[in-house]
Amino acid sequence: MMHTGCTVLLGFLLASAANAENPLQNDPHAADVGRGVFRIYCSPCHGIRGQGARGPDLTQAISGSGKSDDDLFRIVSEGSPGTEMPGFTGPLDEENRWRTVSYLRSIAGQRPAPLAGNPAAGRDLYWGKAGCAACHRINSKGGRQGPDLSRIGSARSASYLRESVLTPSADITPGYNAIVVVQKDGKKITGVERGYDNFTAQLMDSKEEFHSFDKAAVASMKLESRSLMPDTYGKLLSASELDNLLAYLSSLGRPEAGK
Amino acid sequence: MKLLALSAIPILLIAADVTTQRLATSQDDPASWLMYGKNYGAWRFSSLKQMDTGNIARLTPQWIFQAAGAAPIEATPLVFDGLMFFTGSANHAYALDLATGKALWHYGRPVPKGVQGCCGSVNRGFAALGGKLFKVNFEAKLVALDSKNGEPLWETTVDDFNAGFSTTAAPLVVKNQVIVGIAGAEFGTRGFIDSYDADTGKRLWRFHTVPAPGEPGGDTWTNDAWKRGGGSTWITGSYDPELNLIYWGTGNPGPDMNGDVRPGDNLYTCSMVALDADTGQLKWHYQFTPHDVHDWDATEDPVLVDLTIGGKKVKALIQANRNGFAYALDRTNGKVLIAKPYTKVTWTSGMDKTGRPVIVPGQEPSEQGTVSCPGLGGGHNWQPTSYSPLTGLFYFGTTDGCQIYYKTGQQYVKGLWYQLSTTEPVPKSTGAGSVIAIDPSTGETKWRFETVGTPSGGMLTTAGGLLFTGDRHGFFIAFDARTGKPLWKFQAGGPIVGGPVSYSFQGKQYVAVAAGSSVIAFAIPAK
């Protein structure tokens, strides 16, 4: 920590730090090595080429976002609060985090085209006809059976969200698989996983009540790689309604959403 | 060593040193656990039988020690003379009072800035000789501690962590030598096995697992790829005193996923090497996976057992290899006796007459991604295995499944990641695994306990007919070793990764295991 009596100088230094450029920007190997780091630590969520999966498409999300290298470094280091993006200060030293930033800059292409839909109309659909709030929460309102969507627009690409709405079981957020338990009296209980191991299962049913089971005390219990969300939204919603809903979901958690 | 043990009348324990004779006969000392694999053959079998299949349901925790800042604990604790010695991650180590689980001393050294490793600053335990304990620190250093108080007696640099080297394995004491393995094949290093003088820390010999040009095996590399050839030795080997051979498994060639820059078989990576214990000279080798491109290290425990195969008695070395095969080798010469898959395998159609795997084309990583089985972590990873002479079975955890393997290009830069890509899960696949028991003389699976997710813990068998292991969900489990039926379990509150141990203290059998950042000791209470 630098100590100085000159407030003006300190302010300048802080401003410079906030807009710090990548110290490895002239290193010819930085992006190359950063790609190796990315493939190990980042590709599980962002895809092997950064084109997005559970995490956003970074080839599109960075350009035009106004994020400086320092912003990207901070996200890589500390994660993105409110999303599943963790910080990598532990596993990656400072140089490797900067190399990751170098690689991200090297793959950043054009900013994605604005979505066709109308977010305001999508909001009405979400809270009305589509019934999404029965299972999902946004800013502390709604159900708990599905993932909280308060910041889903900053955590998922639009194409991923489209797939999630139309084919909910295509890729399931960890912790939201279905558990089906058949008790010894034949009674079947289905719910969202809260825990599942070699000997026990914990689930939340559609009334948001918790159940805990001992494998030895039931007829069967199974974790199923499927979502409990209906897969009928392709039929329930028209193409334009779907665009509106996706425009609303994509706006959640984005700073420009309020504009 | 002197220790006042808690009891109605304080007892003065007079400890004897851990001598080479005591190490050589460690299987006959069931009260103690003197080395990583219990005995030189790495059986992890305890002759204690107070706990058995009939009374194990009453097993109860006796104490829990919380080692703050030391998770995950991957170590196998050592136990002797009233104390338990174990190591945590980030260069922590402890001596615990067996009566109470209280720490009597703690050793700690900050990990220097810039040390890199593939998988965290983990550590797998101590070795012991005389009044000394030996451990590696993450920054590629070997230290000798005074077992009375944890004070360092000497410290020696194994290699340069700035070049990508690190150390995680428990050392192996052979005669007056401390044998040490190295990690770092993901960083363009050249692997080795080292011997150090137990009294002084002076290096006695080094066996390079990647030969230089002109040396035997050097022609299995092209250009200067050998300089970055990998072949780490990050799991403790075993030792046959009669043959005077040290057996040690070697890791993947570097770079892991792209073999284009290293045409050839890439000896002695993904191999078992047998070294003269006095000189480190190579006596024989067997390469399980020539020119590996799937990161299938062959570092898994080399377990030494005498088997009858095809009616013939053989001195065997058995191993659950990461490439999906269970092997039995003749440990006098390295010939393959048994090679049988224990999980789904797509990279080979089997072994030819010489024991060399016949490669299936098109299974290597690609820019577009190639589905291959087993996955990157292999069918079985590093976690300790166990052989029970009571059942004649060999026990280990398996990961059953495939992954998409990618490769890429990258220029080598000293000390930096040099893996050249990675893997992704196959869509819609879920992690699956099992705890299995195989007959090592045939490779046949005798029982299989399917698990939710992949197994995480090491194995321990006992003369009470029990198999102990733990899982990633925190359950510590006792199985009937003959049938695979779970007989008892305890939710320990943290993933169980290392190897359980059994010992006796004041006439009572205990079993202890690390879970998360804790160590827990269990016993059967008096009725």
Side-chain angles (χ1 to χ4, degrees), chain A residues 29 32-33 35-37 39-41 43 47-49 92-96 99 169-170 196-200 214 225, chain B residues 116 118 367-368 406-411 413 416-417 419 421-422 424 428 430 450-452 471 473 475 477 486 489:
Chain A
H29 304 305
D32 196 25
V33 177
R35 175 168 60 167
V37 173
R39 286 194 160 194
I40 293 162
Y41 289 97
S43 69
I48 200 79
R49 291 173 187 80
L92 295 174
D93 65 12
E94 189 174 326
E95 285 200 326
N96 276 325
R99 289 187 185 100
S169 296
Y196 192 79
D197 56 50
N198 289 317
F199 301 102
T200 70
D214 186 335
S225 291
Chain B
Q116 302 205 68
C118 72
E367 271 292 339
Q368 299 73 34
Y406 294 89
K407 74 172 181 182
T408 188
Q410 179 189 311
Q411 193 167 346
V413 181
L416 299 185
W417 274 99
Q419 186 165 334
S421 214
T422 188
E424 280 190 325
K428 304 294 288 178
T430 53
E450 292 187 358
T451 57
V452 173
D471 70 22
H473 306 288
F475 277 110
I477 311 161
K489 63 183 184 295

Short mmCIF file of all heavy atoms in Angstrom, two decimals, chain A residues 29 32-33 35-37 39-41 43 47-49 92-96 99 169-170 196-200 214 225, chain B residues 116 118 367-368 406-411 413 416-417 419 421-422 424 428 430 450-452 471 473 475 477 486 489:
data_model
loop_
_atom_site.label_atom_id
_atom_site.label_comp_id
_atom_site.label_asym_id
_atom_site.label_seq_id
_atom_site.Cartn_x
_atom_site.Cartn_y
_atom_site.Cartn_z
N HIS A 29 3.39 -14.63 -25.84
CA HIS A 29 2.91 -15.96 -25.44
C HIS A 29 1.67 -15.90 -24.55
O HIS A 29 1.08 -16.93 -24.24
CB HIS A 29 4.00 -16.71 -24.68
CG HIS A 29 5.28 -16.85 -25.43
ND1 HIS A 29 5.34 -17.41 -26.69
CD2 HIS A 29 6.54 -16.48 -25.11
CE1 HIS A 29 6.59 -17.38 -27.11
NE2 HIS A 29 7.34 -16.81 -26.19
N ASP A 32 -1.61 -17.32 -25.90
CA ASP A 32 -1.40 -18.73 -26.22
C ASP A 32 -1.46 -19.58 -24.96
O ASP A 32 -2.17 -20.59 -24.88
CB ASP A 32 -0.03 -18.83 -26.90
CG ASP A 32 0.15 -20.14 -27.63
OD1 ASP A 32 -0.88 -20.73 -28.02
OD2 ASP A 32 1.31 -20.56 -27.82
N VAL A 33 -0.70 -19.17 -23.94
CA VAL A 33 -0.72 -19.90 -22.67
C VAL A 33 -2.09 -19.73 -22.00
O VAL A 33 -2.62 -20.66 -21.41
CB VAL A 33 0.41 -19.41 -21.75
CG1 VAL A 33 0.36 -20.13 -20.41
CG2 VAL A 33 1.77 -19.65 -22.41
N ARG A 35 -4.89 -19.58 -23.38
CA ARG A 35 -5.85 -20.53 -23.95
C ARG A 35 -5.77 -21.87 -23.22
O ARG A 35 -6.79 -22.50 -22.94
CB ARG A 35 -5.56 -20.75 -25.44
CG ARG A 35 -6.43 -21.82 -26.05
CD ARG A 35 -6.37 -21.85 -27.55
NE ARG A 35 -5.02 -22.10 -28.05
CZ ARG A 35 -4.75 -22.41 -29.30
NH1 ARG A 35 -5.72 -22.50 -30.19
NH2 ARG A 35 -3.51 -22.62 -29.70
N GLY A 36 -4.54 -22.29 -22.90
CA GLY A 36 -4.38 -23.54 -22.15
C GLY A 36 -5.04 -23.44 -20.79
O GLY A 36 -5.72 -24.35 -20.34
N VAL A 37 -4.84 -22.31 -20.11
CA VAL A 37 -5.46 -22.11 -18.80
C VAL A 37 -6.98 -22.09 -18.93
O VAL A 37 -7.69 -22.72 -18.16
CB VAL A 37 -4.97 -20.78 -18.18
CG1 VAL A 37 -5.72 -20.47 -16.90
CG2 VAL A 37 -3.46 -20.84 -17.92
N ARG A 39 -8.85 -23.47 -21.15
CA ARG A 39 -9.42 -24.78 -21.46
C ARG A 39 -9.54 -25.65 -20.22
O ARG A 39 -10.43 -26.50 -20.13
CB ARG A 39 -8.59 -25.47 -22.54
CG ARG A 39 -8.81 -24.85 -23.90
CD ARG A 39 -8.29 -25.69 -25.03
NE ARG A 39 -8.93 -25.29 -26.28
CZ ARG A 39 -8.89 -25.99 -27.40
NH1 ARG A 39 -8.24 -27.12 -27.43
NH2 ARG A 39 -9.48 -25.57 -28.48
N ILE A 40 -8.66 -25.43 -19.28
CA ILE A 40 -8.71 -26.26 -18.06
C ILE A 40 -9.72 -25.69 -17.07
O ILE A 40 -10.55 -26.41 -16.53
CB ILE A 40 -7.31 -26.36 -17.44
CG1 ILE A 40 -6.40 -27.14 -18.39
CG2 ILE A 40 -7.35 -27.01 -16.07
CD1 ILE A 40 -4.93 -26.96 -18.14
N TYR A 41 -9.66 -24.39 -16.84
CA TYR A 41 -10.45 -23.81 -15.75
C TYR A 41 -11.80 -23.22 -16.19
O TYR A 41 -12.74 -23.17 -15.41
CB TYR A 41 -9.64 -22.73 -15.02
CG TYR A 41 -8.53 -23.30 -14.20
CD1 TYR A 41 -7.23 -23.36 -14.68
CD2 TYR A 41 -8.77 -23.84 -12.93
CE1 TYR A 41 -6.20 -23.91 -13.94
CE2 TYR A 41 -7.76 -24.39 -12.17
CZ TYR A 41 -6.47 -24.42 -12.69
OH TYR A 41 -5.48 -24.98 -11.94
N SER A 43 -13.39 -23.67 -19.55
CA SER A 43 -14.20 -24.36 -20.57
C SER A 43 -15.33 -25.19 -19.98
O SER A 43 -16.34 -25.38 -20.67
CB SER A 43 -13.31 -25.21 -21.47
OG SER A 43 -12.78 -26.30 -20.76
N GLY A 47 -17.45 -23.37 -22.46
CA GLY A 47 -17.21 -24.11 -23.69
C GLY A 47 -15.74 -24.09 -24.05
O GLY A 47 -14.99 -23.20 -23.66
N ILE A 48 -15.34 -25.09 -24.82
CA ILE A 48 -13.93 -25.29 -25.11
C ILE A 48 -13.35 -24.12 -25.90
O ILE A 48 -12.16 -23.83 -25.81
CB ILE A 48 -13.74 -26.64 -25.84
CG1 ILE A 48 -12.30 -27.12 -25.72
CG2 ILE A 48 -14.17 -26.57 -27.30
CD1 ILE A 48 -11.97 -27.76 -24.42
N ARG A 49 -14.18 -23.41 -26.66
CA ARG A 49 -13.69 -22.25 -27.43
C ARG A 49 -14.28 -20.94 -26.91
O ARG A 49 -14.26 -19.93 -27.59
CB ARG A 49 -14.00 -22.42 -28.91
CG ARG A 49 -13.18 -23.52 -29.53
CD ARG A 49 -13.56 -23.84 -30.94
NE ARG A 49 -12.82 -25.02 -31.38
CZ ARG A 49 -13.16 -26.27 -31.07
NH1 ARG A 49 -14.25 -26.51 -30.35
NH2 ARG A 49 -12.43 -27.28 -31.47
N LEU A 92 -5.35 -19.98 -9.60
CA LEU A 92 -4.52 -19.33 -10.63
C LEU A 92 -3.77 -18.15 -10.03
O LEU A 92 -4.37 -17.28 -9.40
CB LEU A 92 -5.40 -18.83 -11.78
CG LEU A 92 -6.11 -19.90 -12.61
CD1 LEU A 92 -7.05 -19.26 -13.61
CD2 LEU A 92 -5.10 -20.77 -13.31
N ASP A 93 -2.47 -18.11 -10.26
CA ASP A 93 -1.73 -16.95 -9.77
C ASP A 93 -2.02 -15.73 -10.67
O ASP A 93 -2.70 -15.84 -11.69
CB ASP A 93 -0.24 -17.24 -9.66
CG ASP A 93 0.42 -17.51 -11.00
OD1 ASP A 93 -0.21 -17.25 -12.04
OD2 ASP A 93 1.57 -17.97 -11.01
N GLU A 94 -1.51 -14.58 -10.26
CA GLU A 94 -1.87 -13.34 -10.93
C GLU A 94 -1.51 -13.37 -12.41
O GLU A 94 -2.29 -12.94 -13.26
CB GLU A 94 -1.15 -12.18 -10.22
CG GLU A 94 -1.60 -10.82 -10.69
CD GLU A 94 -0.96 -9.72 -9.85
OE1 GLU A 94 -0.75 -9.94 -8.64
OE2 GLU A 94 -0.67 -8.66 -10.41
N GLU A 95 -0.33 -13.89 -12.74
CA GLU A 95 0.09 -13.90 -14.15
C GLU A 95 -0.84 -14.77 -14.99
O GLU A 95 -1.20 -14.40 -16.11
CB GLU A 95 1.53 -14.41 -14.26
CG GLU A 95 2.55 -13.37 -13.81
CD GLU A 95 3.93 -13.67 -14.34
OE1 GLU A 95 4.25 -14.87 -14.46
OE2 GLU A 95 4.67 -12.72 -14.63
N ASN A 96 -1.25 -15.90 -14.45
CA ASN A 96 -2.14 -16.77 -15.23
C ASN A 96 -3.52 -16.15 -15.40
O ASN A 96 -4.20 -16.39 -16.40
CB ASN A 96 -2.23 -18.15 -14.59
CG ASN A 96 -1.08 -19.04 -15.02
OD1 ASN A 96 -0.62 -18.95 -16.15
ND2 ASN A 96 -0.61 -19.89 -14.11
N ARG A 99 -3.02 -13.80 -18.18
CA ARG A 99 -2.94 -14.55 -19.45
C ARG A 99 -4.35 -14.96 -19.92
O ARG A 99 -4.63 -14.98 -21.12
CB ARG A 99 -2.08 -15.80 -19.27
CG ARG A 99 -0.61 -15.48 -19.11
CD ARG A 99 0.24 -16.74 -19.10
NE ARG A 99 1.62 -16.36 -18.83
CZ ARG A 99 2.20 -16.46 -17.64
NH1 ARG A 99 1.54 -16.97 -16.61
NH2 ARG A 99 3.44 -16.06 -17.46
N SER A 169 -34.49 -30.17 -20.20
CA SER A 169 -33.58 -31.22 -19.73
C SER A 169 -32.27 -31.27 -20.51
O SER A 169 -31.42 -32.12 -20.23
CB SER A 169 -34.27 -32.59 -19.81
OG SER A 169 -35.36 -32.62 -18.92
N ALA A 170 -32.10 -30.38 -21.50
CA ALA A 170 -30.89 -30.44 -22.33
C ALA A 170 -29.64 -30.25 -21.49
O ALA A 170 -28.63 -30.93 -21.69
CB ALA A 170 -30.96 -29.38 -23.42
N TYR A 196 -28.20 -36.10 -2.69
CA TYR A 196 -28.33 -37.46 -3.19
C TYR A 196 -26.97 -38.12 -3.07
O TYR A 196 -25.98 -37.63 -3.63
CB TYR A 196 -28.80 -37.46 -4.65
CG TYR A 196 -29.22 -38.82 -5.15
CD1 TYR A 196 -30.47 -39.35 -4.82
CD2 TYR A 196 -28.37 -39.59 -5.93
CE1 TYR A 196 -30.87 -40.59 -5.27
CE2 TYR A 196 -28.77 -40.85 -6.38
CZ TYR A 196 -30.01 -41.34 -6.05
OH TYR A 196 -30.41 -42.57 -6.48
N ASP A 197 -26.87 -39.20 -2.31
CA ASP A 197 -25.59 -39.86 -2.14
C ASP A 197 -25.81 -41.37 -2.16
O ASP A 197 -26.88 -41.84 -2.56
CB ASP A 197 -24.89 -39.37 -0.85
CG ASP A 197 -25.76 -39.57 0.39
OD1 ASP A 197 -26.28 -40.68 0.59
OD2 ASP A 197 -25.92 -38.59 1.16
N ASN A 198 -24.81 -42.10 -1.71
CA ASN A 198 -24.88 -43.56 -1.79
C ASN A 198 -25.92 -44.17 -0.85
O ASN A 198 -26.30 -45.33 -1.03
CB ASN A 198 -23.52 -44.17 -1.47
CG ASN A 198 -22.53 -43.91 -2.59
OD1 ASN A 198 -22.87 -44.04 -3.76
ND2 ASN A 198 -21.31 -43.52 -2.23
N PHE A 199 -26.38 -43.40 0.14
CA PHE A 199 -27.26 -43.99 1.15
C PHE A 199 -28.53 -43.22 1.41
O PHE A 199 -29.46 -43.75 1.99
CB PHE A 199 -26.49 -44.16 2.47
CG PHE A 199 -25.28 -45.02 2.34
CD1 PHE A 199 -24.02 -44.46 2.26
CD2 PHE A 199 -25.40 -46.40 2.27
CE1 PHE A 199 -22.89 -45.26 2.12
CE2 PHE A 199 -24.29 -47.21 2.13
CZ PHE A 199 -23.03 -46.64 2.06
N THR A 200 -28.58 -41.93 1.03
CA THR A 200 -29.75 -41.12 1.38
C THR A 200 -30.15 -40.22 0.20
O THR A 200 -29.38 -40.02 -0.73
CB THR A 200 -29.47 -40.21 2.60
OG1 THR A 200 -28.55 -39.18 2.21
CG2 THR A 200 -28.90 -40.99 3.77
N ASP A 214 -33.91 -42.67 3.67
CA ASP A 214 -32.81 -43.61 3.81
C ASP A 214 -33.02 -44.69 2.74
O ASP A 214 -34.10 -45.28 2.66
CB ASP A 214 -32.84 -44.23 5.21
CG ASP A 214 -31.64 -45.12 5.47
OD1 ASP A 214 -31.06 -45.65 4.51
OD2 ASP A 214 -31.28 -45.29 6.65
N SER A 225 -31.56 -37.60 -14.57
CA SER A 225 -30.97 -36.45 -15.26
C SER A 225 -32.03 -35.80 -16.15
O SER A 225 -31.94 -35.81 -17.37
CB SER A 225 -29.78 -36.88 -16.11
OG SER A 225 -28.74 -37.28 -15.27
N GLN B 116 3.59 -23.88 -8.66
CA GLN B 116 2.43 -24.30 -9.43
C GLN B 116 2.27 -25.81 -9.34
O GLN B 116 3.25 -26.54 -9.25
CB GLN B 116 2.59 -23.91 -10.90
CG GLN B 116 2.79 -22.43 -11.09
CD GLN B 116 2.35 -22.00 -12.47
OE1 GLN B 116 1.17 -22.03 -12.81
NE2 GLN B 116 3.30 -21.60 -13.28
N CYS B 118 -0.75 -29.05 -10.61
CA CYS B 118 -1.99 -29.28 -11.36
C CYS B 118 -3.18 -29.23 -10.46
O CYS B 118 -4.28 -28.87 -10.87
CB CYS B 118 -1.95 -30.65 -12.04
SG CYS B 118 -2.12 -32.04 -10.91
N GLU B 367 -8.78 -31.35 -32.36
CA GLU B 367 -9.28 -29.97 -32.21
C GLU B 367 -10.80 -29.97 -32.08
O GLU B 367 -11.38 -29.16 -31.37
CB GLU B 367 -8.87 -29.12 -33.42
CG GLU B 367 -7.53 -28.44 -33.26
CD GLU B 367 -7.53 -27.36 -32.19
OE1 GLU B 367 -8.60 -26.84 -31.84
OE2 GLU B 367 -6.44 -27.02 -31.69
N GLN B 368 -11.46 -30.91 -32.77
CA GLN B 368 -12.92 -30.96 -32.76
C GLN B 368 -13.45 -31.70 -31.53
O GLN B 368 -14.62 -31.58 -31.19
CB GLN B 368 -13.44 -31.68 -34.01
CG GLN B 368 -13.08 -31.03 -35.33
CD GLN B 368 -11.60 -31.21 -35.69
OE1 GLN B 368 -11.00 -32.23 -35.37
NE2 GLN B 368 -11.03 -30.20 -36.33
N TYR B 406 -9.82 -32.94 -26.17
CA TYR B 406 -9.40 -31.91 -27.13
C TYR B 406 -7.89 -31.74 -27.07
O TYR B 406 -7.27 -31.92 -26.02
CB TYR B 406 -10.04 -30.56 -26.78
CG TYR B 406 -11.53 -30.52 -26.94
CD1 TYR B 406 -12.35 -30.88 -25.87
CD2 TYR B 406 -12.12 -30.14 -28.13
CE1 TYR B 406 -13.74 -30.86 -25.99
CE2 TYR B 406 -13.50 -30.11 -28.26
CZ TYR B 406 -14.30 -30.46 -27.18
OH TYR B 406 -15.67 -30.43 -27.32
N LYS B 407 -7.32 -31.33 -28.20
CA LYS B 407 -5.92 -30.93 -28.18
C LYS B 407 -5.81 -29.54 -28.82
O LYS B 407 -6.72 -29.08 -29.51
CB LYS B 407 -5.04 -31.92 -28.94
CG LYS B 407 -5.15 -31.86 -30.45
CD LYS B 407 -4.10 -32.75 -31.10
CE LYS B 407 -4.19 -32.68 -32.61
NZ LYS B 407 -3.24 -33.56 -33.28
N THR B 408 -4.71 -28.92 -28.55
CA THR B 408 -4.44 -27.62 -29.16
C THR B 408 -2.94 -27.48 -29.32
O THR B 408 -2.18 -28.37 -28.96
CB THR B 408 -5.02 -26.49 -28.28
OG1 THR B 408 -4.91 -25.27 -29.00
CG2 THR B 408 -4.28 -26.34 -26.98
N GLY B 409 -2.50 -26.38 -29.90
CA GLY B 409 -1.08 -26.12 -30.02
C GLY B 409 -0.67 -25.03 -29.05
O GLY B 409 -1.49 -24.22 -28.64
N GLN B 410 0.56 -25.02 -28.63
CA GLN B 410 1.03 -23.98 -27.71
C GLN B 410 2.54 -24.06 -27.64
O GLN B 410 3.12 -25.15 -27.61
CB GLN B 410 0.42 -24.23 -26.31
CG GLN B 410 0.86 -23.23 -25.26
CD GLN B 410 0.40 -23.68 -23.87
OE1 GLN B 410 -0.75 -24.02 -23.66
NE2 GLN B 410 1.32 -23.67 -22.92
N GLN B 411 3.14 -22.91 -27.59
CA GLN B 411 4.59 -22.88 -27.45
C GLN B 411 4.96 -23.11 -25.99
O GLN B 411 4.29 -22.60 -25.08
CB GLN B 411 5.11 -21.52 -27.91
CG GLN B 411 6.61 -21.50 -28.10
CD GLN B 411 7.05 -20.26 -28.85
OE1 GLN B 411 6.24 -19.56 -29.44
NE2 GLN B 411 8.34 -19.99 -28.82
N VAL B 413 6.72 -22.47 -22.60
CA VAL B 413 7.35 -21.38 -21.86
C VAL B 413 7.68 -21.93 -20.48
O VAL B 413 6.82 -22.52 -19.82
CB VAL B 413 6.41 -20.16 -21.71
CG1 VAL B 413 7.12 -19.03 -20.95
CG2 VAL B 413 5.93 -19.67 -23.06
N LEU B 416 5.37 -22.79 -17.18
CA LEU B 416 3.94 -22.52 -17.42
C LEU B 416 3.21 -23.77 -17.85
O LEU B 416 3.81 -24.73 -18.34
CB LEU B 416 3.78 -21.44 -18.49
CG LEU B 416 4.41 -20.09 -18.15
CD1 LEU B 416 4.07 -19.08 -19.24
CD2 LEU B 416 3.93 -19.59 -16.80
N TRP B 417 1.90 -23.72 -17.67
CA TRP B 417 1.05 -24.84 -18.09
C TRP B 417 1.43 -25.28 -19.49
O TRP B 417 1.52 -24.48 -20.41
CB TRP B 417 -0.43 -24.43 -18.10
CG TRP B 417 -1.11 -24.58 -16.79
CD1 TRP B 417 -1.34 -23.60 -15.88
CD2 TRP B 417 -1.66 -25.78 -16.24
NE1 TRP B 417 -2.00 -24.12 -14.79
CE2 TRP B 417 -2.20 -25.44 -14.99
CE3 TRP B 417 -1.74 -27.10 -16.68
CZ2 TRP B 417 -2.84 -26.38 -14.17
CZ3 TRP B 417 -2.37 -28.03 -15.88
CH2 TRP B 417 -2.90 -27.66 -14.63
N GLN B 419 -0.08 -28.30 -21.01
CA GLN B 419 -0.95 -29.49 -21.08
C GLN B 419 -1.49 -29.67 -22.50
O GLN B 419 -1.82 -30.76 -22.92
CB GLN B 419 -2.09 -29.35 -20.08
CG GLN B 419 -2.96 -30.58 -19.96
CD GLN B 419 -3.83 -30.55 -18.73
OE1 GLN B 419 -3.50 -29.93 -17.73
NE2 GLN B 419 -4.96 -31.23 -18.78
N SER B 421 -4.36 -28.65 -23.83
CA SER B 421 -5.81 -28.85 -23.88
C SER B 421 -6.35 -29.73 -22.78
O SER B 421 -5.66 -30.03 -21.82
CB SER B 421 -6.29 -29.31 -25.24
OG SER B 421 -7.56 -28.74 -25.46
N THR B 422 -7.60 -30.10 -22.93
CA THR B 422 -8.28 -30.73 -21.80
C THR B 422 -9.47 -31.55 -22.30
O THR B 422 -9.52 -31.91 -23.47
CB THR B 422 -8.73 -29.63 -20.80
OG1 THR B 422 -9.23 -30.26 -19.62
CG2 THR B 422 -9.83 -28.75 -21.37
N GLU B 424 -13.93 -32.42 -21.96
CA GLU B 424 -15.28 -32.00 -21.55
C GLU B 424 -16.08 -33.26 -21.28
O GLU B 424 -15.80 -34.31 -21.86
CB GLU B 424 -15.96 -31.23 -22.68
CG GLU B 424 -15.56 -29.79 -22.82
CD GLU B 424 -16.46 -29.04 -23.81
OE1 GLU B 424 -16.89 -29.67 -24.79
OE2 GLU B 424 -16.73 -27.86 -23.57
N LYS B 428 -25.09 -35.20 -21.51
CA LYS B 428 -26.09 -36.07 -20.88
C LYS B 428 -25.49 -37.18 -20.03
O LYS B 428 -26.22 -38.02 -19.51
CB LYS B 428 -27.03 -36.70 -21.92
CG LYS B 428 -27.74 -35.72 -22.83
CD LYS B 428 -28.73 -34.84 -22.08
CE LYS B 428 -29.96 -35.62 -21.66
NZ LYS B 428 -30.88 -34.74 -20.90
N THR B 430 -23.62 -38.67 -16.70
CA THR B 430 -23.48 -38.31 -15.30
C THR B 430 -22.30 -39.09 -14.74
O THR B 430 -21.99 -40.19 -15.22
CB THR B 430 -24.74 -38.65 -14.49
OG1 THR B 430 -25.04 -40.03 -14.72
CG2 THR B 430 -25.91 -37.80 -14.91
N GLU B 450 -21.96 -50.10 -6.87
CA GLU B 450 -22.08 -48.89 -7.69
C GLU B 450 -22.31 -47.68 -6.80
O GLU B 450 -23.10 -47.74 -5.85
CB GLU B 450 -23.21 -49.06 -8.70
CG GLU B 450 -22.86 -50.11 -9.75
CD GLU B 450 -23.87 -50.19 -10.87
OE1 GLU B 450 -24.87 -49.45 -10.83
OE2 GLU B 450 -23.64 -51.01 -11.78
N THR B 451 -21.64 -46.59 -7.14
CA THR B 451 -21.70 -45.40 -6.30
C THR B 451 -22.36 -44.24 -7.04
O THR B 451 -22.36 -44.19 -8.27
CB THR B 451 -20.29 -44.96 -5.86
OG1 THR B 451 -19.49 -44.74 -7.02
CG2 THR B 451 -19.64 -46.02 -5.00
N VAL B 452 -22.89 -43.31 -6.26
CA VAL B 452 -23.42 -42.06 -6.81
C VAL B 452 -22.22 -41.14 -7.03
O VAL B 452 -21.55 -40.75 -6.08
CB VAL B 452 -24.42 -41.42 -5.83
CG1 VAL B 452 -24.82 -40.04 -6.33
CG2 VAL B 452 -25.62 -42.31 -5.64
N ASP B 471 -16.39 -41.77 0.77
CA ASP B 471 -16.86 -41.22 -0.51
C ASP B 471 -16.85 -39.69 -0.50
O ASP B 471 -16.59 -39.06 0.51
CB ASP B 471 -18.23 -41.81 -0.90
CG ASP B 471 -19.38 -41.34 -0.02
OD1 ASP B 471 -19.26 -40.29 0.63
OD2 ASP B 471 -20.42 -42.03 -0.01
N HIS B 473 -19.22 -37.72 -0.72
CA HIS B 473 -20.34 -37.12 0.02
C HIS B 473 -20.08 -37.10 1.53
O HIS B 473 -20.93 -36.66 2.28
CB HIS B 473 -21.62 -37.89 -0.26
CG HIS B 473 -21.93 -38.02 -1.72
ND1 HIS B 473 -22.37 -36.96 -2.48
CD2 HIS B 473 -21.83 -39.07 -2.58
CE1 HIS B 473 -22.53 -37.36 -3.73
NE2 HIS B 473 -22.21 -38.61 -3.82
N PHE B 475 -19.37 -39.88 3.48
CA PHE B 475 -19.63 -41.13 4.20
C PHE B 475 -18.34 -41.95 4.34
O PHE B 475 -17.63 -42.18 3.35
CB PHE B 475 -20.67 -41.99 3.48
CG PHE B 475 -22.09 -41.58 3.79
CD1 PHE B 475 -22.88 -40.98 2.82
CD2 PHE B 475 -22.62 -41.79 5.05
CE1 PHE B 475 -24.18 -40.60 3.11
CE2 PHE B 475 -23.92 -41.42 5.35
CZ PHE B 475 -24.71 -40.81 4.37
N ILE B 477 -17.35 -45.71 5.18
CA ILE B 477 -18.15 -46.91 4.99
C ILE B 477 -17.33 -48.15 5.31
O ILE B 477 -16.15 -48.23 4.93
CB ILE B 477 -18.65 -47.02 3.53
CG1 ILE B 477 -19.27 -45.71 3.07
CG2 ILE B 477 -19.65 -48.17 3.37
CD1 ILE B 477 -19.37 -45.57 1.55
N PRO B 486 -22.52 -53.20 2.28
CA PRO B 486 -22.19 -52.19 3.29
C PRO B 486 -22.76 -52.60 4.65
O PRO B 486 -23.94 -52.95 4.76
CB PRO B 486 -22.89 -50.91 2.79
CG PRO B 486 -23.42 -51.23 1.43
CD PRO B 486 -23.50 -52.71 1.30
N LYS B 489 -21.92 -47.20 8.24
CA LYS B 489 -21.49 -45.95 7.62
C LYS B 489 -21.61 -44.82 8.63
O LYS B 489 -22.36 -44.92 9.61
CB LYS B 489 -22.36 -45.64 6.39
CG LYS B 489 -23.83 -45.41 6.70
CD LYS B 489 -24.62 -45.18 5.44
CE LYS B 489 -26.08 -44.85 5.73
NZ LYS B 489 -26.83 -45.94 6.36
#
